[in-house]
Amino acid sequence: MPTLSYAYTPTPRQAGAHAEWADELLYGGAAGGGKSRWLRAEVLATLLAFPGSAGVIFRRTFSDLARSDGHILQLQEEIPTSVGRYNAGDHAWTFHNGSRLELAHLNRDADVLKYQGAAYAVVAFDELTQFTEWQYLYLLSRLRVSGRVRDLMAAAGWRPRMLAAANPGGPGHSWVKARFIDAAPAEQLWRPPSTPDEPRPGTRVFWPAKVTDNPHLDEHYVDRLNSLPDDERRALRDGDWDVYAGQRFTAWRRDVHVIEPERLPIPLGAGVARAVGVDYGLDAPFCALWGAKMGDDLVVIHRELYTNGLTAPEQADLMLSVEAEGERDPEGGRPIPIALDPASWARNPTIPSTLPGPAMPDQPPAGSIAAAYRERFGSALGRANNDRLTGVSVIADKLRVRRDGFPRLLVYSTCRNLIRTLPGLPRDPRHPEDVDTRAEDHAFDALRYLLLRLASASPPGAAQLPGEGRVPALTATFGKAGF
């Protein structure tokens, strides 16, 4: 079979990124750097080099793929029929060497389940900051090859890999910055340390590009970037990742709000108000957070569950399994109230219920998600307060450091997903006082349910932290240098 190729002359900056090899490579930064063109060319290079391989390019919505400068029309112009043909029905290219390129979109976290069982030699995200880390990590697990493609790639010293292009800003700004920008200098190939969950991590690199690196753009485009407000100009013209005007919870500081569990054990028994906030999810993640209301109005988030693919009964059983025996009433009761996502009260005929008799006014309807929870937790289950703006306000207030030098919300270091996602939540561009729900907001929802439930709790003999009085209680536990 003759070698398949297509016309493409990279800019010097694009050529430098093409010459780099990493298991995960992010290209771009500033607007106008030619990142989408680079991304298409790099994906095609893999598919044409290894016959029978498969790849996918993701945008957030289908309209992003189909617009005049989107990948569908651009690839139709760039790829000659001698190389491959496009099937508009399934939005995929089939090449004459047997390789296949899919053009796809992920609008919701749950959309990743459409790719369960898929296998790709290359996965690419255009405008990575428009996606959640959950979506990215799930598709990372779809990198795998077998048979002839595996043998060809091994002979070439090649592995399946992730490619991405992005500008600063957007719902995923914080996690993209943490994964690619903050960890190492630009253009420096690096490998994160091994962990029990990832004993053999792959290499990563960020390859920056600016509008000045792209000779194909007219000067008026640069003028338009120059006319933007200061923060947007720094982000889009200069590719400055330290500009993030849209962050909702600006008070968050890891060294202030995250503590090791042994520094503040949660006392069992009376005197400490506790609650659990739960955001239900099946295909998208479900999240449960346990919190305790201590003295000085301090709330400590001390346990987290975060996973997907579990039914409502399985979620409830998992919650029960991680709780310590001392957290429950010796006589079999359950002192910890649960504030469950109020959408779970909708009737769902796919979930059977064994509750006897008709549903009472204060009970969830039979067959609902909430009914399945109630079978495990009884009257401790309650409908969460879903006032979003009040929840956002309470979180922001708890994060604020007071005059005594301490916040009123602390999070155990073991609550990794809350720590990962809360500081990265952006403002809703249409409702700046709210968060952008396109971001990974499952732990945020569970947290606001929990805090609003605890706000109404009045524990008998409100427990103090070690020490006497309101401010000394915090000072005695942490010390002024503790934060």
Side-chain angles (χ1 to χ4, degrees), residues 115-197:
Y115 300 93
Q116 193 172 22
Y120 297 109
V122 57
V123 173
F125 285 85
D126 198 3
E127 298 298 349
L128 183 59
T129 52
Q130 296 299 312
F131 297 88
T132 69
E133 189 173 15
W134 173 266
Q135 293 168 325
Y136 181 86
L137 294 178
Y138 187 92
L139 268 299
L140 186 65
S141 72
R142 302 300 88 202
L143 287 174
R144 53 179 180 163
V145 291
S146 60
R148 181 167 178 261
V149 175
R150 176 201 59 201
D151 297 340
L152 289 172
M153 294 186 78
W158 208 261
R159 294 187 297 275
R161 63 179 184 149
M162 299 286 278
L163 304 171
N167 298 132
H173 174 98
S174 291
W175 77 260
V176 173
K177 183 173 183 286
R179 191 173 187 89
F180 289 99
I181 312 303
D182 295 338
E187 301 181 38
Q188 178 176 309
L189 188 70
W190 66 285
R191 188 188 303 273
S194 299
T195 65
D197 292 335

Side-chain angles (χ1 to χ4, degrees), residues 13-32:
R13 199 73 191 142
Q14 289 170 330
H18 286 307
E20 183 68 85
W21 200 98
D23 294 289
E24 300 178 52
L25 195 157
L26 174 67
Y27 180 80

Side-chain angles (χ1 to χ4, degrees), residues 253-273:
R253 298 290 184 274
R254 185 183 179 96
D255 59 337
V256 170
H257 296 100
V258 178
I259 62 170
E260 296 303 320
E262 57 269 18
R263 292 187 62 193
L264 184 54
I266 304 301
L268 300 177
V272 175

Side-chain angles (χ1 to χ4, degrees), residues 181-432:
I181 312 303
D182 295 338
E187 301 181 38
Q188 178 176 309
L189 188 70
W190 66 285
R191 188 188 303 273
S194 299
T195 65
D197 292 335
E198 192 178 14
R200 297 173 58 187
T203 56
R204 301 175 195 169
V205 69
F206 167 58
W207 198 270
K210 297 183 179 180
V211 63
T212 51
D213 296 319
N214 189 350
H216 305 299
L217 291 176
D218 64 89
E219 60 184 16
H220 299 296
Y221 182 74
V222 179
D223 291 339
R224 288 191 290 274
L225 292 179
N226 289 335
S227 68
L228 292 172
D230 182 61
D231 283 352
E232 292 181 55
R233 182 172 64 251
R234 288 172 58 193
L236 296 179
R237 185 195 67 184
D238 304 331
D240 188 343
W241 287 85
D242 290 326
V243 178
Y244 186 26
Q247 184 180 13
R248 181 60 185 88
F249 299 113
T250 56
W252 172 272
R253 298 290 184 274
R254 185 183 179 96
D255 59 337
V256 170
H257 296 100
V258 178
I259 62 170
E260 296 303 320
E262 57 269 18
R263 292 187 62 193
L264 184 54
I266 304 301
L268 300 177
V272 175
R274 289 176 290 158
V276 186
V278 181
D279 183 55
Y280 174 80
L282 180 59
D283 294 334
F286 117 91
C287 180
L289 296 175
W290 280 254
K293 187 176 182 180
M294 313 287 280
D296 297 330
D297 205 30
L298 171 70
V299 174
V300 181
I301 310 303
H302 59 92
R303 183 184 293 125
E304 170 191 273
L305 287 176
Y306 196 93
T307 188
N308 75 314
L310 299 181
T311 64
E314 290 171 336
Q315 292 172 20
D317 289 340
L318 180 61
M319 290 170 61
L320 287 169
S321 72
V322 300
E323 291 182 341
E325 281 296 324
E327 293 182 76
R328 303 190 197 123
D329 189 328
E331 297 182 2
R334 179 186 172 79
I336 310 176
I338 297 175
L340 177 64
D341 181 354
S344 302
W345 263 253
R347 188 179 298 275
N348 186 338
T350 64
I351 300 178
S353 173
T354 58
L355 285 175
M360 300 296 292
D362 62 341
Q363 289 183 331
S368 68
I369 292 166
Y373 267 79
R374 191 173 179 100
E375 290 177 2
R376 270 67 175 178
F377 299 112
S379 60
L381 181 74
R383 192 192 306 254
N385 183 339
N386 200 29
D387 187 333
R388 288 182 59 84
L389 295 186
T390 299
V392 168
S393 177
V394 168
I395 293 174
D397 181 66
K398 288 289 187 182
L399 291 173
R400 179 173 57 87
V401 175
R402 312 300 171 90
R403 288 184 178 181
D404 57 27
F406 303 101
R408 293 304 184 266
L409 180 67
L410 296 175
V411 181
Y412 275 12
S413 61
T414 51
C415 301
R416 296 183 180 89
N417 291 285
L418 177 61
I419 295 168
R420 174 177 63 84
T421 60
L422 186 66
L425 287 173
R427 294 180 183 272
D428 187 322
R430 293 172 296 180
H431 306 285

Side-chain angles (χ1 to χ4, degrees), residues 1-6 48-49 51 82-83 96-97:
M1 176 182 296
T3 300
L4 301 180
S5 62
Y6 74 108
L48 298 182
S82 60
V83 172
H96 297 318
N97 68 349

